[in-house]
Amino acid sequence: SQTIHQWPATLVQPVGSPLSLECTVEGTSNPNLYWYRQAAGRGLQLLFYSVGIGQISSEVPQNLSASRPQDRQFILSSKKLLLSDSGFYLCAWSVKGGSGNTIYFGEGSWLTVV
Amino acid sequence: AQSVTQLDSQVPVFEEAPVELRCNYSSSVSVYLFWYVQYPNQGLQLLLKYLSGSTLVKGINGFEAEFNKSQTSFHLRKPSVHISDTAEYFCAVSGGVDYKLSFGAGTTVTVRA
């Protein structure tokens, strides 16, 4: 069966520091990969999605970037964090062309920028 | 493009009472519809989905939803809730032609004894 892991689960970072959140998917190949952000009291915002290695689409302009160095690895980064980057970050995956694009989520990472 | 409106931001309900969470969508193409649940400090878990066929969809934990094309709705129901159903619930829609889901703003369900 497929599983998705992301880490770290919790992170407290000072303003201006770098960020790296990592996500890996197991049990499938060539998945679509996603990074979502959930700010306090708000819904889910799609930040990035990727359909293959090195292929990244950004949904909103922001202080963050994403990379996909391997088929099942997806990394969310920032060179200098802002207070507004605080939130709950969710990695997710889906099967290409399958099941109406059902998306499966990881456990999430809490980021607090102080 | 597709979009979703969840009509209730908060729904308080007593234990063993029924609950209905309302979701309306807009789309210019055929859609796939989903309900996800998020327990506190966790990721989202798929409750159920409508892809095609029967308009009444049954999911996990006793939830069901009905797809109504004429009313562009996909309301979620449970006949008798438990304390453990306290969570946030998200409705989502996909047009199927790209790789993305559009999510509603979420409905917080609080079940009281």
Side-chain angles (χ1 to χ4, degrees):
Chain A
S1 64
Q2 300 87 5
T3 56
I4 178 170
H5 301 286
Q6 64 176 104
W7 67 93
T10 306
L11 200 58
V12 179
Q13 293 285 96
V15 169
S17 65
L19 170 73
S20 181
L21 299 179
E22 191 165 339
C23 168
T24 59
V25 180
E26 298 175 0
T28 188
S29 60
N30 197 25
N32 298 319
L33 296 172
Y34 310 82
W35 279 110
Y36 283 86
R37 177 170 60 199
Q38 189 175 21
R42 298 173 63 178
L44 287 130
Q45 180 184 35
L46 178 63
L47 301 176
F48 302 95
Y49 72 93
S50 170
V51 300
I53 295 174
Q55 300 179 63
I56 309 295
S57 295
S58 174
E59 289 294 293
V60 293
Q62 59 208 313
N63 184 42
L64 302 167
S65 61
S67 61
R68 185 171 176 172
Q70 300 181 44
D71 181 45
R72 291 171 291 166
Q73 183 184 26
F74 205 25
I75 298 171
L76 183 69
S77 304
S78 174
K79 293 182 179 179
K80 290 185 177 181
L81 284 169
L82 306 172
L83 286 174
S84 58
D85 292 323
S86 293
F88 191 49
Y89 289 82
L90 291 154
C91 182
W93 70 276
S94 68
V95 174
K96 282 193 179 59
S99 203
N101 201 40
T102 304
I103 291 182
Y104 302 95
F105 287 84
E107 307 91 346
S109 298
W110 275 108
L111 171 65
T112 303
V113 183
V114 296
Chain B
Q2 302 81 40
S3 67
V4 170
T5 302
Q6 291 184 241
L7 300 169
D8 308 291
S9 59
Q10 303 213 19
V11 174
V13 58
F14 286 106
E15 193 174 19
E16 298 184 7
V19 70
E20 178 180 79
L21 307 184
R22 297 179 293 166
C23 172
N24 286 97
Y25 69 91
S26 65
S27 175
S28 57
V29 299
S30 297
V31 296
Y32 304 119
L33 292 155
F34 306 81
W35 275 99
Y36 287 84
V37 60
Q38 185 179 32
Y39 299 105
N41 297 318
Q42 295 185 24
L44 275 73
Q45 179 181 1
L46 181 67
L47 268 180
L48 49 79
K49 59 186 176 184
Y50 171 79
L51 302 181
S52 65
S54 173
T55 57
L56 183 62
V57 180
K58 294 190 182 296
I60 62 172
N61 300 340
F63 284 93
E64 63 181 31
E66 186 156 18
F67 171 59
N68 188 318
K69 188 174 181 179
S70 63
Q71 297 186 9
T72 61
S73 67
F74 190 54
H75 299 337
L76 180 71
R77 301 184 184 95
K78 185 170 181 177
S80 176
V81 297
H82 304 291
I83 298 290
S84 58
D85 292 320
T86 295
E88 189 156 20
Y89 294 80
F90 292 93
C91 184
V93 62
S94 166
V97 295
D98 60 21
Y99 305 106
K100 298 174 283 186
L101 290 185
S102 296
F103 284 86
T107 298
T108 301
V109 173
T110 304
V111 181
R112 299 189 176 101

